[in-house]
Amino acid sequence: MRPNENAINCDNKKVLGKRILMFLLICLPITWLLMAVSYKLTAEGKLEGLATFLLSLSVFMPAIAGVICVLKNKEGIGTLKLLPGLYKTGWVYLIAIFGGAALSLMAEPFVM
């Protein structure tokens, strides 16, 4: 499936501005609402499982908003670049995985 050419080469600043605005209007209010409800449930000590679920959902809200925007604009899902390009940039993922472990091991003597 070939992505829509207009989605990749969006030279028109007005169209790009509308897409960014749509993303922000979907993402930010819903994220803030989910986090506020999660905080309120945690502060009251009620439904801690639901509060954890809502907080986890709010973390994924930018990705969900991106998918909603792509579906609304009838673009190809390939424009999101959800899958990592491991063939060309696999070393970046290796550094991210093993670098965090190395940093935590190097910081251990200072914590004790």
Side-chain angles (χ1 to χ4, degrees), residues 5-100:
E5 292 294 313
N6 292 332
I8 295 173
N9 299 323
C10 187
D11 294 330
N12 190 352
K13 290 184 180 182
K14 191 173 184 180
V15 173
L16 182 61
K18 285 183 180 180
R19 289 180 182 175
I20 292 172
L21 183 64
M22 181 178 21
F23 172 79
L24 292 176
L25 288 176
I26 292 172
C27 182
L28 294 179
I30 296 173
T31 302
W32 291 339
L33 180 68
L34 289 172
M35 286 188 171
V37 170
S38 173
Y39 177 74
K40 184 72 171 166
L41 289 175
T42 304
E44 292 177 357
K46 299 178 182 177
L47 302 171
E48 293 165 357
L50 179 62
T52 304
F53 173 74
L54 291 177
L55 188 61
S56 300
L57 185 64
S58 68
V59 170
F60 287 106
M61 202 56 219
I64 295 168
V67 171
I68 292 170
C69 288
V70 164
L71 294 176
K72 174 132 177 49
N73 291 328
K74 295 179 178 72
E75 300 170 0
I77 200 77
T79 60
L80 283 176
K81 307 281 187 207
L82 292 176
L83 299 175
L86 293 178
Y87 180 69
K88 294 181 181 177
T89 59
W91 60 274
V92 174
Y93 294 99
L94 290 175
I95 290 173
I97 292 169
F98 294 114

